[in-house]
Amino acid sequence: MKKMNKQRVTLQEVAQHAGVSTSTASLVVRNNPRISEATRNKVLQSMEDLGYVYDRVAANMRSKSSNIVGVIVTDISNTFISEFLIGVQTTLESLGYTVLLGTTFDSVDKQERLISTMVEHRVGGIILNLASKSSARTAKQLNQIRTPKVLANRELSDVQCDYVGVDYEQGTWMAIHHLLQKGHRRIAFLGGIKTSSTWIERMKGFKRAHDDENLTIDDSLIIDIVPTREGGKEALAQVMDQPEPPTAIFCFSDLVAFGVMQELSARSIKPGEDIDVVGFDNIPEAELYHPPLTTVSSFPRSIGVKAANLLYHKMNEQDEELQRLILKPQLHIRETST
Amino acid sequence: MKKMNKQRVTLQEVAQHAGVSTSTASLVVRNNPRISEATRNKVLQSMEDLGYVYDRVAANMRSKSSNIVGVIVTDISNTFISEFLIGVQTTLESLGYTVLLGTTFDSVDKQERLISTMVEHRVGGIILNLASKSSARTAKQLNQIRTPKVLANRELSDVQCDYVGVDYEQGTWMAIHHLLQKGHRRIAFLGGIKTSSTWIERMKGFKRAHDDENLTIDDSLIIDIVPTREGGKEALAQVMDQPEPPTAIFCFSDLVAFGVMQELSARSIKPGEDIDVVGFDNIPEAELYHPPLTTVSSFPRSIGVKAANLLYHKMNEQDEELQRLILKPQLHIRETST
DNA sequence: CTGAAAGCGCTTACAG
DNA sequence: CTGAAAGCGCTTACAG
């Protein structure tokens, strides 16, 4: 809590200096056209002379509005998230909003505190990239707050809220279908938290692709673990140490795939030759990795842009219907599965 | 600009419901110990009953304080920056502050607008990772604002301000010394903007390492270009198309090095075998790249942590002396230069 | 330990 | 086209 020592120049002082009323000065700062040019210029001159700085906090307070939007994400060091954030930020900034950022590092507790903080700061709206273990308790908290909100990337059941994300089921189906066509019959599914919507959707696609070929899934090839590089390494170790290891690996995300490939290297197994690997997200590094990673685009920047636009609508029109925007994914076949 | 339709429960209503005065209720929400347990519980109960949400905006306004800190960075998709941002965020959050984030994408205009916006929002302090083309005009703007501020990663002359960064000169010296020891005599310096402090410091180290061996520098091997992957590609093309191409390349950043290596691949030149490459920053990808990149650690997360702590001090003690915190870099020799 | 009144810096009706 | 007064939801002295 910082105390401001230096006192600001107020609009009242500006008005006095310009010889007009405060209300007139207020209309000038807000560019209201019903002020005459002469008066406007006089006031603007006084503002400059005194070094006036507009106080948005006071303005927002009185007008009960806000041009701050809260954005809560799981982890900005994950390229998928930072790309998403860029989409959100550029869009909101061009609409005149500023972003209050919170990072949960996938902790539900921290997320809960951040949501409260945002609401206490009276943000105009919230964009949420939920932690993977978000629960019914989270849903309850979200439903209680009146602030317009949009969920991105990850849904949560029973939350009355707009949503923007990619079609994870279809994306996974495409990846698995591709591997099955190549003749693989033992495909591992590594990473992700089983209770999260992003995992459940992918699993549906995983199942459907197998069903299409009348194949059954070996549950021992499914490893539920945090979707990070570390998680990938550990999951790979678990699955390769089994009596019947897989011949191909579907990873929850590119980050998991990088961990998987790192551990494969450590074991002198060559991705794309000895075993096939597919990721998810198509982050910029995927293409530049060695070998380049087959993966599914999930267009994080577009998701960010759409989430921001959706929130903008929610904030400005009332009583709009809930929307769900689901982007179509795209499979990029590269060297790890050719 | 969002109008709030639903009116909030006010502290006054809470007080009324609890049968105490507003000032008492105010003391309760702020955990003032001079309120009796009985009264406190009565008020807390009323808050819960009415679903009261603390209005930090009103509180900050009246007390002329703020627990929001503005953080302005060049590009969150750059891992160096996102690591820095994580350091800043976690530190500030643990100190009870929330981050208002601005991204300039290295545009000085956008930076100028963001600084104004932050000040209008009455942030308690600002942490700035300046755009590479920041000028005297930027310095002037910064000197005018009374808000406590800390520069990170990049300095700007004539700005009266604390600074946290790494010793770029020493880091570069270490890298170049290493290459010279390996016998290289034609070392290129690719990327970075010549007017920025980060470039100037590196160039000092570049020169000093050459001077130590009584070697002169061939200016045609120095390419001034935006420090991005694209910049790296372009710079490499320029330098390799010269009659006497370099035998080793020092890159302004790891990002530049990745572009350089991508372009080398395209030309079938093998880094670490046909030519040596050294980066700067040691972002996580550097170690995992193929081949792993020799680079200099600049500890972005630590810089973030230290910048946040420094700002915290600036905001809470007055009239402190200006500080410059310069972290020692570290050379990591990997396959691109062995 | 608690209360009544004033005020942070704006905007909002309402008058003229 | 412009002005005087009230108020946004808190906190801050000041009394008691």
Side-chain angles (χ1 to χ4, degrees):
Chain A
M1 289 283 180
K2 159 83 210 324
K3 291 263 176 183
M4 310 264 172
N5 27 5
K6 199 77 181 183
Q7 64 232 27
R8 297 167 81 108
V9 176
T10 71
L11 196 53
Q12 219 172 73
E13 296 173 276
V14 170
Q16 211 158 8
H17 185 271
V20 298
S21 76
T22 321
S23 5
T24 303
S26 173
L27 292 170
V28 171
V29 287
R30 284 175 292 153
N31 273 314
N32 189 308
R34 74 171 201 257
I35 300 290
S36 67
E37 266 311 300
T39 315
R40 176 184 308 283
N41 289 331
K42 214 165 45 178
V43 174
L44 290 174
Q45 186 58 51
S46 297
M47 283 171 52
E48 180 135 6
D49 290 353
L50 300 176
Y52 172 72
V53 175
Y54 185 54
D55 189 330
R56 262 175 220 287
V57 177
N60 287 343
M61 159 111 183
R62 176 62 237 254
S63 60
K64 291 187 154 189
S65 65
S66 169
N67 52 10
I68 293 187
V69 165
V71 178
I72 298 178
V73 298
T74 50
D75 183 7
I76 35 181
S77 68
N78 177 336
T79 315
F80 176 82
I81 301 295
S82 63
E83 284 289 317
F84 164 72
L85 198 52
I86 287 179
V88 168
Q89 267 232 130
T90 51
T91 309
L92 287 177
E93 274 176 16
S94 73
L95 293 168
Y97 289 84
T98 309
V99 166
L100 198 62
L101 179 69
T103 310
T104 60
F105 295 103
D106 222 26
S107 147
V108 177
D109 281 357
K110 195 152 194 180
Q111 177 172 277
E112 193 170 317
R113 265 176 286 133
L114 280 169
I115 294 170
S116 300
T117 305
M118 300 276 169
V119 176
E120 290 182 359
H121 276 297
R122 262 226 300 6
V123 295
I126 301 182
I127 293 179
L128 269 160
N129 165 229
L130 290 173
S132 36
K133 294 189 174 158
S134 300
S135 60
R137 185 189 158 99
T138 315
K140 196 181 155 203
Q141 183 188 19
L142 288 176
N143 283 328
Q144 266 170 2
I145 63 177
R146 292 321 209 127
T147 314
K149 48 197 169 301
V150 171
L151 296 186
N153 310 320
R154 194 187 299 278
E155 272 186 293
L156 184 58
S157 46
D158 302 327
V159 177
Q160 297 297 326
C161 193
D162 297 70
Y163 171 72
V164 184
V166 91
D167 190 336
Y168 298 109
E169 174 178 349
Q170 181 62 15
T172 307
W173 181 89
M174 287 157 69
I176 304 303
H177 177 75
H178 158 66
L179 292 173
L180 291 173
Q181 292 300 309
K182 284 197 63 193
H184 290 289
R185 286 303 174 261
R186 288 185 66 72
I187 305 174
F189 180 148
L190 306 187
I193 308 293
K194 283 192 175 175
T195 52
S196 71
S197 71
T198 46
W199 190 91
I200 294 167
E201 292 300 315
R202 281 174 177 78
M203 183 44 77
K204 280 187 198 158
F206 189 77
K207 263 208 154 63
R208 183 156 63 82
H210 280 82
D211 287 349
D212 287 353
E213 308 285 327
N214 289 312
L215 296 168
T216 53
I217 294 167
D218 180 351
D219 284 346
S220 69
L221 296 179
I222 299 169
I223 310 285
D224 169 274
I225 199 163
V226 282
T228 60
R229 204 188 290 263
E230 284 309 309
K233 286 165 81 167
E234 199 178 314
L236 183 89
Q238 279 186 40
V239 87
M240 294 309 279
D241 290 341
Q242 292 184 12
E244 260 193 284
T247 63
I249 296 172
F250 169 73
C251 303
F252 183 85
S253 67
D254 289 349
L255 223 54
V256 169
F258 292 160
V260 161
M261 283 163 74
Q262 209 177 331
E263 184 65 23
L264 283 172
S265 279
R267 292 166 176 251
S268 305
I269 304 172
K270 291 219 165 96
E273 295 179 26
D274 308 325
I275 196 166
D276 281 358
V277 179
V278 178
F280 206 109
D281 286 345
N282 193 31
I283 62 178
E285 292 89 339
E287 189 175 358
L288 305 161
Y289 218 78
H290 183 82
L293 177 67
T294 294
T295 187
V296 179
S297 276
S298 51
F299 307 110
R301 205 179 277 223
S302 304
I303 296 180
V305 170
K306 289 198 195 307
N309 281 322
L310 201 54
L311 183 69
Y312 180 69
H313 270 109
K314 263 270 164 298
M315 293 193 294
N316 292 289
E317 347 267 293
Q318 32 243 39
D319 279 337
E320 238 189 301
E321 302 228 329
L322 289 187
Q323 289 199 45
R324 288 183 81 240
L325 256 62
I326 310 295
L327 310 193
K328 286 288 151 229
Q330 198 181 325
L331 180 66
H332 301 265
I333 298 173
R334 303 206 184 96
E335 290 179 30
T336 58
S337 71
T338 41
Chain B
M1 289 282 180
K2 159 82 209 324
K3 291 264 175 182
M4 310 266 172
N5 26 7
K6 198 76 180 182
Q7 65 232 29
R8 297 167 81 107
V9 177
T10 71
L11 196 54
Q12 220 172 71
E13 295 173 274
V14 170
Q16 210 157 9
H17 184 271
V20 300
S21 76
T22 321
S23 5
T24 303
S26 172
L27 293 170
V28 171
V29 287
R30 283 175 292 153
N31 273 314
N32 189 308
R34 74 172 201 257
I35 300 290
S36 67
E37 267 310 299
T39 315
R40 175 185 309 282
N41 289 332
K42 215 166 43 179
V43 174
L44 290 174
Q45 187 58 50
S46 297
M47 283 170 55
E48 180 134 7
D49 290 353
L50 300 176
Y52 172 72
V53 175
Y54 185 54
D55 189 331
R56 261 174 220 287
V57 178
N60 287 343
M61 159 110 183
R62 176 63 237 253
S63 61
K64 291 189 154 189
S65 65
S66 170
N67 51 12
I68 293 188
V69 166
V71 179
I72 298 178
V73 298
T74 50
D75 183 6
I76 36 180
S77 68
N78 178 337
T79 315
F80 176 82
I81 301 295
S82 63
E83 284 289 317
F84 164 72
L85 198 53
I86 287 178
V88 168
Q89 267 233 130
T90 51
T91 309
L92 287 177
E93 275 176 16
S94 73
L95 293 167
Y97 291 84
T98 310
V99 165
L100 199 61
L101 179 68
T103 310
T104 61
F105 295 103
D106 222 26
S107 148
V108 177
D109 281 357
K110 195 152 195 180
Q111 177 172 279
E112 194 170 317
R113 266 177 285 132
L114 281 168
I115 294 170
S116 300
T117 305
M118 300 276 168
V119 176
E120 291 182 359
H121 275 298
R122 262 226 304 2
V123 295
I126 301 182
I127 292 178
L128 269 159
N129 165 228
L130 290 173
S132 38
K133 294 189 174 156
S134 299
S135 61
R137 184 188 159 97
T138 314
K140 195 180 157 203
Q141 183 188 20
L142 288 176
N143 284 328
Q144 267 171 2
I145 63 176
R146 292 322 209 125
T147 313
K149 49 199 169 299
V150 171
L151 296 187
N153 310 321
R154 193 186 302 276
E155 273 186 293
L156 183 60
S157 46
D158 301 326
V159 176
Q160 295 299 326
C161 193
D162 297 70
Y163 171 72
V164 184
V166 92
D167 190 336
Y168 298 108
E169 173 179 349
Q170 181 63 14
T172 307
W173 182 87
M174 287 158 67
I176 303 303
H177 178 75
H178 159 66
L179 292 172
L180 291 173
Q181 291 300 310
K182 283 198 66 194
H184 290 288
R185 286 301 174 263
R186 288 186 65 73
I187 305 174
F189 181 148
L190 306 186
I193 306 293
K194 283 192 176 176
T195 51
S196 71
S197 71
T198 47
W199 190 91
I200 294 167
E201 292 299 315
R202 281 174 177 77
M203 182 44 78
K204 281 186 198 161
F206 189 78
K207 265 209 153 64
R208 183 156 62 84
H210 280 82
D211 288 349
D212 287 353
E213 309 284 330
N214 290 312
L215 297 167
T216 53
I217 294 167
D218 179 352
D219 285 344
S220 68
L221 296 179
I222 299 170
I223 310 284
D224 169 275
I225 199 163
V226 282
T228 60
R229 204 187 290 262
E230 284 308 310
K233 286 165 80 168
E234 200 178 314
L236 184 89
Q238 280 185 39
V239 87
M240 293 309 280
D241 290 342
Q242 293 183 12
E244 259 193 285
T247 63
I249 295 171
F250 169 73
C251 303
F252 183 84
S253 66
D254 289 350
L255 224 54
V256 170
F258 292 160
V260 161
M261 283 162 73
Q262 210 177 331
E263 185 64 23
L264 283 172
S265 280
R267 292 164 177 252
S268 305
I269 303 172
K270 291 218 165 98
E273 295 180 26
D274 307 326
I275 196 167
D276 280 357
V277 179
V278 178
F280 207 110
D281 286 346
N282 192 31
I283 62 179
E285 292 89 339
E287 189 176 358
L288 305 160
Y289 219 78
H290 184 83
L293 177 68
T294 293
T295 187
V296 180
S297 276
S298 51
F299 307 109
R301 204 179 280 222
S302 303
I303 296 179
V305 170
K306 289 195 196 307
N309 281 321
L310 202 54
L311 183 69
Y312 180 70
H313 270 108
K314 265 270 164 299
M315 292 192 294
N316 293 287
E317 346 267 294
Q318 31 243 40
D319 279 337
E320 239 187 301
E321 302 227 328
L322 288 187
Q323 288 198 45
R324 287 184 80 241
L325 256 61
I326 310 295
L327 310 193
K328 286 289 152 228
Q330 196 181 326
L331 180 65
H332 301 264
I333 298 173
R334 302 206 184 97
E335 291 178 30
T336 58
S337 71
T338 41

